[in-house]
Amino acid sequence: MADNKIKIVFVGHVDHGKSTLIGRLLYNTKSIAEDKIKDLEKNTSEGKKLDFAFLMDHFEEERKQGITIETAQIFFKTLKRDYVIIDAPGHVEFVVNMITGAAQADAAVLIVDAAEGVQEQTKRHAYILSMLGIKQVIVAINKIDLVDYSEEKYNTIMAELTPFLSELNIYNVTSVPISSTDGDNITERSENTKWFTGKTFIELVDDIEGSTDESNKSVVLPIQDVYNINDQGKSKRISVGKIEAGNISEGQSICVLPSKEHAHIKSIEKYNETKTQAQNGECIGITTDKPLFIERGNIVCSVNHGLNMVSNFKASLFWMNNAAVNISDKLTLRCSTQEVGCSISEIFQKINSSTLEKIEDDLTGLNKLEVGKVEIKTKKTIVISAMSAVPALGRFVLLRDNTIVAGGIIIE
Ligand code: GDP
């Protein structure tokens, strides 16, 4: 599937209005089915405001049934283009979902209740966004109706939030005062906030920059599986995976990492159909003009790839398991389709993720919710990249006993 939708993650302190804003967005952009709107209107008693959070209930249902956040994606479209909302739950316990769910987000919407202002969880979420390398943030100062549309209140919150976000290297910050229940400044500028000269929420969403032109980027195809199939009496070896950068064409020279073997693409296959080209985001299979030893976890890439093969690197690591980790503990690293044994070899500094205060005294391990700048050593060579170039090879998770215990991004 070609995947050129802009991906946005919505975060914010619980009750600050995330569900309502998402519901409002779906409603205003007519991205929900007619019967859902009827349900919504039926569910709201006469004379009362539409209960947008109600729209989110069925997504909540999906979540309760154990469908992961990654698959619980919500779609909407504006006049300009299509979007996917990655809805990360608000509680810290679900940070694990956010780390995996937000993994590909182009931008984030950070929702702050105008009356309650910035809360600890607001800061924690902002911190995680920066850990994930998300550089574009729209701050939605919600419930502006509850503070009499006060410009002062809005400015006070932004004066607190802006320096905090820049400290986290998030500079591309826009903001808008909104009321999700009433619709102020969502699709149309509100008469209630005449002092506000900025763009509406939808305009800010339409301003999000997507990933840049893929055609110039070298290709990165992490291999998920390799199948040997019988094709009219001949055995054929198909390597499948999702393209994580660039576009791939029939005949193109490629290189397989870590073996560094070279070959040409003989065919590109998708659902029994042969294609001459495939784009970033597509899940495809390839065959090559000469037999290669490719296996799960190998990376097929352009000959001039700019990727790094390493067995140690520096990373920001967010520890989210109840049981702490110590230097040298045995862990498993999963980066895209690569999986290798690893351990933390050094912790340079630690930060409390809620206060952002440095923890100076104990650098022998990480406790739950601590973020460390660490060095990781892997048992085998792995292929990594700068986050900005190939996000899928710039972030990773750590597992212990088959459970995800940490998420991280590669910084050096
Ligand atoms: P979530 O926990 O962040 O998803 O928050 P909800 O969307 O469930 O909203 C929490 C409460 O705030 C609900 O009672 C909403 O009706 C209310 N709420 C959300 N947005 C607004 C708003 O813009 N104005 C007012 N007055 N109430 C709002």
Side-chain angles (χ1 to χ4, degrees), residues 13-20 53 142-143 145-146 178-181:
H13 188 79
V14 65
D15 279 345
H16 281 197
K18 188 176 68 181
S19 312
T20 310
N142 190 34
K143 310 195 191 182
D145 54 297
L146 290 186
I178 59 165
S179 168
S180 300
T181 43

Side-chain angles (χ1 to χ4, degrees), residues 20-46:
T20 310
L21 175 57
I22 295 174
R24 159 64 70 181
L25 203 55
L26 297 181
Y27 182 78
N28 277 30
T29 59
K30 301 191 170 53
S31 305
I32 22 173
E34 196 99 345
D35 58 331
K36 282 257 154 49
I37 297 189
K38 288 227 172 75
D39 277 355
L40 174 70
E41 284 160 356
K42 210 165 58 197
N43 185 56
T44 310
S45 44
E46 224 173 293

Side-chain angles (χ1 to χ4, degrees), residues 308-317 331-335 338 340-348 372-387 393-398 407-412:
N308 303 303
M309 292 205 288
V310 299
S311 56
N312 67 304
F313 59 86
K314 292 202 176 90
S316 289
L317 194 65
L331 301 162
T332 301
L333 178 137
R334 186 187 290 160
C335 173
Q338 307 174 94
V340 294
C342 77
S343 60
I344 299 170
S345 51
E346 194 172 349
I347 299 173
F348 304 103
K373 186 177 169 192
V374 303
E375 180 170 65
I376 290 179
K377 276 202 160 69
T378 55
K379 287 205 168 138
K380 287 197 302 192
T381 303
I382 60 157
V383 180
I384 61 170
S385 156
M387 266 278 299
L393 294 182
R395 38 172 68 118
F396 62 91
V397 293
L398 297 181
I409 57 169
I410 294 162
I411 49 180
E412 266 176 63

Side-chain angles (χ1 to χ4, degrees), residues 234-288:
K234 271 201 247 164
S235 142
K236 186 155 104 174
R237 207 167 149 77
I238 302 187
S239 309
V240 306
K242 179 179 168 206
I243 304 177
E244 295 287 2
N247 299 330
I248 204 163
S249 319
E250 206 182 80
Q252 183 177 347
S253 334
I254 49 113
C255 173
V256 181
L257 298 179
S259 72
K260 296 186 183 161
E261 279 186 282
H262 285 216
H264 290 93
I265 301 279
K266 189 172 161 199
S267 67
I268 301 170
E269 328 227 343
K270 193 173 176 180
Y271 314 121
N272 293 326
E273 167 200 339
T274 306
K275 296 164 61 96
T276 53
Q277 267 210 342
Q279 290 167 356
N280 186 13
E282 282 190 83
C283 295
I284 53 153
I286 55 161
T287 63
T288 50

